[in-house]
Amino acid sequence: MHCAFDGVRGKAIVSWRIEMAESTLGTGLRRMTILSWMTAAPLLSQGPPVTPERPWHSPEQDRIARDSQRSAQSGFPIDHDKTYSLPELVDLAEVHNPQTRVAWENARVQAEALGIARSELYPTLSVVALCGVSRVEAGSGSRFYRQTMPDSQVELDLNYTIFDFGGRRGRIDAAAARLLATNLSFNDVHRQLIYQVQQAYYRLLNASAQETAARASLDNAQAVQQAAEARLKNGLATLPDVLEARSATAQAEYDLQAILGAEQIARGDLATAMGEPANTMIRVQPFSQLSTPEVVEDTVEQVIDRAIEQRPDLQAEVAGVREANAQRKEARAAFYPTLGVTASPTAQSLSLLQQNLAWGHTSDLTGGAALGLNWTVFDGGARRRRLAQSEAQIKQAEAQVQATRDQVENEVWTAYSNLNTAFRQREAATALLDAANQSYAAALESYNYGVRNLLDVTAAQKLLAQARFADILARTQVRSTLSDLAFRTGDLIQSTRRRETP
């Protein structure tokens, strides 16, 4: 701002400008005050519930509900005529499930935090522009002379830490370790999501196959009931036999409805894992199209070693040790001085208008530069305690790594044992199903010839139904435990390394 004044006219002009500014400022302040009160009114009206025995309701709750509706995920188009394989379902889940987005954005936040830490290696430069007018009455002898001095200047402030004995490097290393841990946690989110999709998929396959078995058991029970009713009409059976057959049919129908309900729940779990509404209909490959492995090739020692190498949650704990070491480096640097430099060059323009004297003006480059040494001599033991705290955090992080490692080994051992058990159960279930089929066929044929009674037939029919369910469960259990072992070892994310991580 550069102002020039000329006698009474100049004074009148300045006065008018000040009045206009005050008038405009007053109107703006009144408007801002009214607007702020209108904005703050809902906040000022907030308070705790009036009474403890009734739910709390307010207009703000309705606004939150509307915001929640607007933030609801719209989902993505599902081809209801397409039969999705498990890899396709996993790919869709990794793209559309919000958990991966949350983990990814968190990693981006930590990446920016690392950038902030690295910025300490560079100087800071700020620009300040000032413009003003001062007016004083200077006395000389018995008279006073008015002096008006317009002033404008531009100042640069430069600050740079030359040396700090590793304090900045410690903060940068800690931020880098946090970013590494966050990226590994991002991988772990994918590992858990893939496992979630696989388990929901196998539960759905199991329920679908169980439905087929339940319908076959219902057909068997109805066949037995029809045979009993036919023999009753011919006088070869008793009414209790028919009632027993009807009871077996009702039980088979009950079991079928329970399985249908479990199948609906499994479909909802799969849709939710993929980031879709739970009522989304997704067609998957039937159970009959999937091959079931017969044996695991690796030894348990090999599997455990692979888990220790691959598990992202364990790797994130190791990154925590790095962060603790970096914080110790920063704590040690606080015992030493920091050396910095400051410079503030200023371009200044001064004018001087004195009553009854000539107008004057000057401009020049001023400012200064300085080296500063800052050393904290005494702080009541705060630095020593921060160093001790960082040492304890290192030991804590190392102990946490060991605890997580033990947990990983135990999880892998359990999953490996469960897989071997599932293999053996599958062999037993296959033999049980063959025997139950033969027993039911022989019992029904003998009953039709009058050699066996109805109780033998219904018992064989129930055993066959149980054998069907056990065979399906055993086959799905093999694939489910294989998925669990891959989840425990971290193999689930090794086949998806093509995806970029932050």
Side-chain angles (χ1 to χ4, degrees):
M1 177 179 178
H2 181 77
C3 302
F5 300 90
D6 185 11
V8 177
R9 181 180 177 184
K11 181 179 180 180
I13 294 174
V14 173
S15 176
W16 176 77
R17 288 181 178 175
I18 292 175
E19 290 175 359
M20 287 297 293
E22 290 179 349
S23 176
T24 305
L25 180 60
T27 303
L29 286 175
R30 286 194 295 271
R31 290 179 179 175
M32 291 177 62
T33 302
I34 295 173
L35 180 61
S36 63
W37 274 102
M38 292 175 62
T39 306
L43 300 177
L44 295 176
S45 63
Q46 290 295 322
V50 180
T51 58
E53 66 272 6
R54 294 182 182 179
W56 172 83
H57 299 288
S58 76
E60 191 64 22
Q61 182 184 16
D62 298 333
R63 298 189 189 96
I64 291 295
R66 289 193 296 269
D67 293 341
S68 176
Q69 290 293 333
R70 285 194 296 268
S71 63
Q73 187 176 4
S74 59
F76 56 94
I78 287 291
D79 188 356
H80 300 289
D81 296 328
K82 176 181 174 59
T83 299
Y84 289 92
S85 64
L86 180 57
E88 291 174 329
L89 295 175
V90 169
D91 288 340
L92 289 174
E94 289 185 291
V95 173
H96 298 285
N97 192 291
Q99 296 177 6
T100 58
R101 172 65 61 175
V102 172
W104 184 59
E105 295 295 346
N106 188 25
R108 294 181 63 188
V109 169
Q110 292 299 328
E112 297 303 328
L114 175 58
I116 294 173
R118 285 175 175 168
S119 67
E120 295 188 46
L121 297 175
Y122 302 93
T124 60
L125 180 64
S126 59
V127 180
V128 180
L130 299 176
C131 181
V133 176
S134 63
R135 174 177 289 179
V136 297
E137 295 289 340
S140 177
S142 61
R143 296 188 60 183
F144 287 89
Y145 298 91
R146 182 184 304 117
Q147 292 182 348
T148 303
M149 291 179 291
D151 179 13
S152 60
Q153 58 183 353
V154 177
E155 179 179 349
L156 297 179
D157 288 333
L158 177 67
N159 293 276
Y160 180 59
T161 301
I162 300 176
F163 194 69
D164 62 353
F165 288 91
R168 290 173 296 178
R169 176 52 58 185
R171 289 188 289 273
I172 293 173
D173 291 345
R178 283 191 292 269
L179 175 59
L180 177 59
T182 306
N183 287 342
L184 293 170
S185 298
F186 170 79
N187 290 345
D188 197 53
V189 168
H190 278 269
R191 180 179 71 99
Q192 295 180 20
L193 178 61
I194 295 172
Y195 179 68
Q196 181 182 359
V197 173
Q198 288 182 345
Q199 292 300 306
Y201 175 78
Y202 291 135
R203 286 196 301 270
L204 177 57
L205 290 185
N206 178 67
S208 299
Q210 293 283 8
E211 178 190 353
T212 303
R215 293 189 183 278
S217 298
L218 179 60
D219 292 339
N220 291 340
Q222 290 173 346
V224 173
Q225 179 182 343
Q226 292 172 1
E229 290 176 348
R231 289 178 62 83
L232 179 63
K233 290 180 181 179
N234 296 328
L236 300 177
T238 62
L239 181 60
D241 291 340
V242 175
L243 296 178
E244 179 69 22
R246 290 175 180 174
S247 176
T249 302
Q251 181 65 43
E253 179 68 32
Y254 176 85
D255 295 338
L256 174 61
Q257 295 305 318
I259 292 173
L260 290 175
E263 183 179 3
Q264 292 298 321
I265 294 174
R267 289 189 183 276
D269 292 341
L270 180 59
T272 302
M274 296 175 59
E276 280 285 287
N279 59 349
T280 304
M281 181 63 184
I282 302 175
R283 297 181 60 185
V284 299
Q285 282 182 314
F287 186 77
S288 58
Q289 295 183 4
L290 299 179
S291 60
T292 304
E294 300 292 339
V295 67
V296 57
E297 297 179 354
D298 296 333
T299 64
V300 65
E301 291 79 9
Q302 293 173 331
V303 175
I304 290 177
D305 292 340
R306 194 163 68 247
I308 297 301
E309 180 183 355
Q310 297 178 164
R311 278 283 290 264
D313 53 343
L314 178 59
Q315 294 172 348
E317 298 292 350
V318 176
V321 177
R322 289 189 182 183
E323 179 185 356
N325 280 295
Q327 290 174 345
R328 178 177 60 181
K329 183 188 300 183
E330 180 184 359
R332 283 178 175 174
F335 285 91
Y336 303 97
T338 59
L339 179 63
V341 60
T342 60
S344 55
T346 304
Q348 189 175 46
S349 176
L350 286 173
S351 298
L352 177 62
L353 181 62
Q354 302 183 88
Q355 189 177 10
N356 300 327
L357 294 176
W359 175 80
H361 174 264
T362 183
S363 60
D364 199 358
L365 181 64
T366 62
L371 285 175
L373 183 67
N374 186 8
W375 194 354
T376 301
V377 179
F378 180 75
D379 61 356
R383 292 173 296 176
R384 179 173 54 82
R385 294 185 181 276
R386 278 193 289 268
L387 180 59
Q389 182 185 39
S390 64
E391 296 283 354
Q393 288 174 343
I394 292 175
K395 295 179 181 179
Q396 179 188 14
E398 292 173 346
Q400 184 62 48
V401 169
Q402 186 59 45
T404 304
R405 181 189 178 99
D406 293 342
Q407 180 182 355
V408 168
E409 291 180 355
N410 183 61
E411 290 177 358
V412 173
W413 173 264
T414 302
Y416 191 88
S417 301
N418 289 336
L419 179 58
N420 288 325
T421 302
F423 283 137
R424 293 191 296 268
Q425 286 180 332
R426 181 173 180 267
E427 295 176 358
T430 301
L432 175 61
L433 180 59
D434 292 339
N437 271 317
Q438 296 175 10
S439 175
Y440 171 74
L444 182 59
E445 184 179 5
S446 299
Y447 176 72
N448 289 330
Y449 286 112
V451 179
R452 304 283 293 271
N453 58 36
L454 184 64
L455 293 179
D456 296 332
V457 179
T458 55
Q461 183 268 328
K462 291 179 181 179
L463 180 61
L464 177 59
Q466 294 174 0
R468 286 196 182 103
F469 294 151
D471 178 67
I472 294 171
L473 180 61
R475 286 192 288 168
T476 56
Q477 194 68 18
V478 169
R479 301 193 66 88
S480 179
T481 50
L482 272 173
S483 172
D484 183 64
L485 182 60
F487 170 70
R488 305 301 174 183
T489 58
D491 289 337
L492 292 181
I493 59 175
Q494 300 307 312
S495 60
T496 59
R497 282 189 172 180
R498 65 184 183 278
R499 297 192 181 279
E500 295 183 358
T501 57

